[in-house]
Structures are given as structure tokens and as C-alpha cells.
Amino acid sequence: MTHAMLRLLIADGNDRDGRAKREAAVGQTTSQAFAAVVSDLAPEAVCTLVNPADAGAGIDLAGFDGMVLTGSTLRLAEDGPAVRRQLDLMRAALEAGLPVFGSCWGMQVAAAIAGGEVGENPRGPEYGFARRLAAVGDGAAHPLLAGRGLAWDAPAIHLDAVIGAPSGARVLAANAVLDVQAIEIRYGRGLFWGTQYHPETDLDELAAMLRLSAEAVVSAGFAADHAAVEASAREVEGLAGDDRPARRQRAWRLGVGADVLEAGQRRREIGNFLASLSTARGVEWRERDRVAR
């Protein structure tokens, strides 16, 4: 029996300006980077990239097995057409019964349409890594966090966050900075899994994002000036290098371990989401095959 390939819609959370800045800094858009990670984890997946912030994007949800909404430089509090279009897309996807994954902005959009509260985190932002993440509630047994240890670190860049979970949502992970670091939301016929941190972000990409966020990092008091942010970005960038002794020394200085250094572990939630899609798709395919017989 042949298994159906996964058809995944990857929606870039940025508007045109955000995409241009991201591409200039990193060499690819957020959706392109996410698609590359998906291709590494699930080579059989077919990704279609869309830009829902743009007027006239004309996104057709038919025929997809799941959707991803990426991070973004936009903020829900700013409102505007680019924000409302993405709220509409998330609502439509979940009402249509699609499984959806979102990191950072994507999680905030899903929480907002389900009635949660999104805003500036009163305990402050996270720039670089979300530290000492841990499962809460029944999160340790949830498939989104399968393979995670008792505590882990992950790439993170955010000012806003989900500061009030929607009614009925399952909060799966938290840390000292934020009570909602991972979540499951049921809305309409759809199911959303998401993280405030960025399991999809590679380390050289994280360094570039730190540079883009330098003004915010300094304003938050995390660095004395832009030169200090640049020094930190170089350290993070060096974690992606091939010089193993230097990489080990940088990891020690930054206090990170395998959950950050090893791509498979860093991307754990993405892999778990794709595995859940494959399982659901396989069940559907087998049922169709049984009925056809």
C-alpha cells in the first residue's frame, strides 16, 4: 500500500517589509526557512508557501493536510489589514478542520481567535534563548513535547506573548518568564499546536535575528549597546560552526546543551507535528483503502 504524501501550507507571518528585511539579513524568508526544516524532517512533504499578510493573497485551503503560521515582526496590538488577514486565515483553517502549527506569532494569532489574551509580557521579553522550559499540566504526556526532557532551552525572540490562554486550551509548557510557552487549542473542527519559542530556528538564523532585534535587546537592558549584541550574535553564530573545540567552548560560555546544539532535538516540536500529520494521514488513507475494497 502506498502512503499519501503530506501537503503542507506554510504561511509567512511577515508583511512585505518584514519579509524583505528578513531575506536581506538571513538570505531567505521565514516561510522558506521553515520549509527547508520541514524538508529535512519529512522529505516526502510538499510545501506550498503563501503570504497571508498581503492583499489579494487568494489562499485556498482545499487539499492540504495541515498548515503552519510562522513568526513575524508584526504585533496584534497594531491591528491593521496585514494582521486581520492572518486572523481570518487562522480562523478559516481551524474551522475547516486543518491541523495547524504555529511558533511565536503563529501561536499568538491562534490564541487571539480562540479568545485568549495576547500582549507585552509583564515579566519581560526573551531574546536569544528561552531558558529552563518545562512541561506543565499534562504536557509531559502530550505528543507535541514527545522526546523533551524535564527541562530544555530553545531559540526565542519575542516581546509579545500569550499572557492569557483561551478557555479550554491546554497549556503544555512554561518557564520562569512566561506561563504559556507551548499550547494546544481546539477551535472549530481544527486542532492547533504551538510554541512561543522557535523550534524551527537554526543557530546562524538566530544570530541574524538578534542583530535585527539589536535596538530592542538594548532597550530591554539585556545588552549595553549594539556592539554587545553583535558580540552575543557572533557567539550564537559560532555554535553552528564546524570547529568542534570552539563550538564546545561557546556552548559552555552560553550554558546550552544538546537541546540547542543538535538540530533534531532543537526541532523536536516540528518533527512531532509532522509525525502526527503522517499518522492521521495514514489512518485516513487506510480507511479509504478499506472502504474501496
Side-chain angles (χ1 to χ4, degrees):
M1 183 184 67
T2 302
H3 290 283
M5 69 177 62
L6 288 177
R7 296 159 298 179
L8 198 62
L9 186 69
I10 301 185
D12 198 306
N14 289 292
D15 59 11
R16 291 182 190 276
D17 182 60
R19 294 196 302 273
K21 288 179 180 176
R22 172 66 159 64
E23 191 167 12
V26 182
Q28 57 186 345
T29 65
T30 307
S31 56
Q32 288 169 343
F34 212 117
V37 170
V38 170
S39 294
D40 282 347
L41 293 172
E44 75 283 2
V46 175
C47 298
T48 299
L49 278 55
V50 293
N51 299 312
D54 297 356
I59 299 169
D60 184 358
L61 297 171
F64 289 101
D65 300 306
M67 186 180 89
V68 168
L69 180 58
T70 74
S72 177
T73 58
L74 296 173
R75 301 181 68 186
L76 283 167
E78 295 169 352
D79 200 11
V83 171
R84 290 194 292 271
R85 291 183 192 112
Q86 297 190 66
L87 291 166
D88 289 344
L89 175 63
M90 180 66 74
R91 186 178 295 107
L94 291 174
E95 287 179 346
L98 275 184
V100 181
F101 179 88
S103 58
C104 198
W105 166 256
M107 185 173 105
Q108 294 169 26
V109 170
I113 65 117
E117 183 182 358
V118 176
E120 193 168 325
N121 182 13
R123 281 180 249 166
E126 290 175 303
Y127 290 113
F129 298 103
R131 301 286 190 168
R132 300 293 295 174
L133 297 157
V136 295
D138 58 356
H142 194 279
L144 176 63
L145 301 182
R148 285 296 188 189
L150 295 177
W152 67 97
D153 298 337
I157 297 229
H158 68 91
L159 176 63
D160 290 345
V162 176
I163 53 180
S167 176
R170 298 167 67 187
V171 177
L172 305 175
N175 70 352
V177 177
L178 185 62
D179 293 334
V180 187
Q181 287 279 9
I183 199 168
E184 176 191 286
I185 300 171
R186 293 184 181 272
Y187 185 90
R189 295 186 294 115
L191 180 65
F192 176 87
W193 289 356
T195 60
Q196 182 56 56
Y197 51 94
H198 288 275
E200 79 282 3
T201 298
D202 287 339
L203 296 170
D204 52 352
E205 181 184 355
L206 178 61
M209 291 166 65
L210 281 172
R211 293 183 176 108
L212 283 176
S213 305
E215 190 62 43
V217 174
V218 173
S219 295
F222 292 164
D225 50 32
H226 284 222
V229 178
E230 174 59 30
S232 294
R234 284 198 300 270
E235 285 281 87
V236 171
E237 196 169 44
L239 292 174
D242 295 328
D243 186 338
R244 295 186 68 84
R247 190 169 181 249
R248 185 178 185 187
Q249 291 162 16
R250 287 190 179 96
W252 176 78
R253 287 196 297 270
L254 292 170
V256 297
D259 46 350
V260 166
L261 297 174
E262 295 178 8
Q265 191 64 6
R266 191 173 60 248
R267 300 169 173 178
R268 177 65 61 178
E269 291 82 358
I270 310 299
N272 290 340
F273 176 70
L274 294 172
S276 77
L277 288 183
S278 296
T279 300
R281 200 72 183 95
V283 169
E284 180 184 343
W285 187 265
R286 287 191 294 274
E287 178 62 17
R288 286 182 182 177
D289 186 56
R290 184 190 66 79
V291 171
R293 289 179 183 180

